[in-house]
Amino acid sequence: MHSAAPVGSATGLARAGAFCARHPKWVIAVWLVLLVAALGGRKAVDATFSDQISLPGTQSNTGAGLLQSADPMAGQPNGKVVLHVGSGAVSDHEQAVGATIADLKTLPHVVSASNPVTSADGRTAVITVIFDVQLKTLGHGYTGRLDEATEPARADGVQVAYGGDLDQVVRTPPDETLSESIGIGAAVLILLIAFGSVAAALVPVGCALVGVGVGIGVVGMIAGLVTFGTSAPTLAIMIGLGVGIDYAVFLTTRFRQDLIDSGRPWEAATRATGSAGHAVLVAAITVAVALLSLYACGLTFIGKLGFAGSVAVAVAASAALTLVPAVLALTGRHIDRLRVRRPVAETSGGHDSWHRYAMLISRRPWPFLVVGAGLLVLIAVPLFSMRLGHVADGADPKGSKTRTAYDWIADGSGQGFGPGANGTFTVVIDARHATTSTGRITDDVDHALQGTQGIASFTPVAATSDKNVLITTVTPTTGPQTAATSDLFSTLTGHTLPDALAGTGAKGYVTGTTAGQLDFRDTVKERLPIIIGIVLVAAFLLLMVVFRSLLIPLKAVALNLLTTGASYGALVAVFQWGWGDELLGLPEPVPIESYVPMMMFAIVFGLSMDYEIFLLSRISAAWKSSHDNTKAVGTGLSITGRVISSAALIMTVVFLAFTATPTVVVKMLALGLAISVILDATIVRLVLVPALMVLMGEANWWLPRRLDRHLPHLRA
């Protein structure tokens, strides 16, 4: 049994909890009004989501600037309309194709539509359509206009699909309703088993859903002012739902334990907010800081994704600290209505299974430590073969318009242009300060490209009218997401062009969509250590202040790194090695999307600290009352083991539900987060942390007195 602290000793959070518990109907009404207002505001705002990225100073960005200055049309957004016939040639349908090109030119925001470029056998042709706006702003509804414009070709027996940057228009926006429903349903089932009653299962989920609704509404309204990446709403829902349920579960568990210990409902809600609420607040701050640290990488695209996630976390924590105590107070002892088994909260007593397990670890910490750490290291092994890149349209579902266009172009049997045609490079040579004639430079570049392995073909090097810029398009022998194409980019920028232009005064750059993606990958790889350093230092300092210890935060940082490494390894095995591509609906193995490891590190580190803080807060409280380290570890583990396991299982299922989305990047994030959460909450929090803390003994709680005097006082 746990003695209840008097309500009179309430902290600020406890006073807030007391207010919410005494005025539950008003608090619930306010949240419902916020929900309606947020969702209504999201619909009213003209939100913009785009994956457009600018990388000043990079090869691709400098080359694109030169290209646009020489030919303004070259820098305009464009897409590909791909035509294909099963037999004969596209040219056999000249009149219908001509009518299609004419209709494309009349579409809103279309600047021009080129004559078709035909494959060697004539069965596939590509029309390049240039627009005067970024394609993402056209919206998915624009697909209907494209279909109308290409109807003459289809009516004449020509098949039509859309590729290139038109994928931003024609790719069906992901419907996350199924993922959300699966996640919520699984969460209710897990809570029903864990808590033993229908009411206790529905309260955390219901409060979390309100928080998620408000959070996604706020993100949508902010998107009217700030352009988020296309995956931002899904990321906000996924994180908000996961942490929202977790936070509500921690508070509900503490509330029910207080009721079991004979507390009154409003007092129990107050004490739950004052005790577990501090852990929720510290955990939420940790997650938000980790997500916001993504801005330190200098890439606003990634920083904004972190910002969207931090908004969802902030709203989820606010709902947990205000809405949950209000609902709990209103529900009162009816929390155990419609029982399916005997209600259990934090612990069933001094001899339950969690106490016995805690004592087992206390007696044999070394075997648990070695086996647990060894398992995480084994899972992390694939990490060392991780290959970052961009997931191309070739990973889209078979039968989709984008995948069909990609396959028609990539067909190397003579019907298409070869796999490299989906990821061409544009070589731009700045000859404004050349000391050699452009003719000589042209010959040197032509000769260098001919001698470079991995090039299927390249167009003749052509000079602009003022002779200041030379341009050629290089087609690799391999597709855009292969390692060979990445190697070719490095060869062109590091050897081929510098060697060919040495001593001429001219400079060469490689640009285009694929080059931009590879530059983005290299930039992310270069700046990942900055994010890791910031998150590690912030987490260390926060835990040191909260738990007044040096070893506890050091242990937490080391174990979180181990968890992250294991989740990276699992991601490589599934996506890059292809161990689970069929289960996830992927047609082939794909590289790890370049920004996924950075996003995962911030999110995983933040979420793993949730369980660290909830476990350590109980261990710390037991240590302060007994000053027996082994007993404190056992008590903390036995009290939190059930709730951490249940919360982690819920969050894992919620994340796994989002692997059903067709967006490969979301699949990666969802699976990576699910694996990291389950590994962290089982192997790390329930095995490695207690084993290490038993072995370190009273040294866990050592902090130099001089440092202790200068640190602010926080508690979890």
Side-chain angles (χ1 to χ4, degrees), residues 579-632:
W579 287 8
D581 49 5
E582 292 185 3
L583 289 175
L584 293 172
L586 295 175
E588 59 185 16
V590 296
I592 305 303
E593 185 69 39
S594 54
Y595 65 88
V596 164
M598 184 179 285
M599 290 293 304
M600 269 189 60
F601 181 82
I603 299 171
V604 166
F605 212 91
L607 294 181
S608 64
M609 295 303 287
D610 282 6
Y611 303 120
E612 178 82 2
I613 289 167
F614 284 109
L615 173 59
L616 289 179
S617 63
R618 280 305 202 177
I619 294 176
S620 177
W623 161 255
K624 290 174 182 177
S625 64
S626 68
H627 285 279
D628 182 331
N629 181 73
T630 301
K631 181 180 178 181

Side-chain angles (χ1 to χ4, degrees), residues 111-297:
V111 176
S112 68
S114 71
N115 290 324
V117 177
T118 309
S119 61
D121 66 352
R123 293 174 62 183
T124 301
V126 176
I127 301 169
T128 300
V129 183
I130 298 177
F131 296 82
D132 61 7
V133 295
Q134 294 298 328
L135 299 184
K136 188 66 184 179
T137 63
L138 297 175
H140 183 64
Y142 198 83
T143 305
R145 293 179 177 270
L146 290 170
D147 289 340
E148 290 175 7
T150 55
E151 177 59 30
R154 279 198 300 274
D156 202 40
V158 179
Q159 300 176 70
V160 180
Y162 309 113
D165 289 345
L166 273 177
D167 60 359
Q168 300 177 39
V169 176
V170 302
R171 186 177 285 133
T172 305
D175 183 1
E176 309 300 353
T177 304
L178 177 61
S179 297
E180 294 168 23
S181 301
I182 294 173
I184 293 167
V188 171
L189 181 60
I190 294 167
L191 288 173
L192 193 61
I193 296 171
F195 281 165
S197 75
V198 174
L202 293 179
V203 167
V205 174
C207 293
L209 284 176
V210 173
V212 168
V214 174
I216 195 63
V218 172
V219 169
M221 288 190 289
I222 295 174
L225 303 173
V226 177
T227 302
F228 287 115
T230 55
S231 58
T234 303
L235 186 66
I237 293 173
M238 190 165 59
I239 296 176
L241 191 59
V243 301
I245 294 177
D246 265 17
Y247 296 160
V249 165
F250 288 125
L251 284 162
T252 302
T253 304
R254 192 69 59 88
F255 169 80
R256 294 180 76 238
Q257 184 64 55
D258 200 295
L259 282 183
I260 291 173
D261 294 342
S262 302
R264 290 189 295 179
W266 79 267
E267 292 178 344
T270 299
R271 279 189 284 265
T273 309
S275 54
H278 277 279
V280 167
L281 183 60
V282 173
I285 290 173
T286 306
V287 177
V289 168
L291 288 169
L292 290 174
S293 70
L294 290 168
Y295 272 107
C297 72

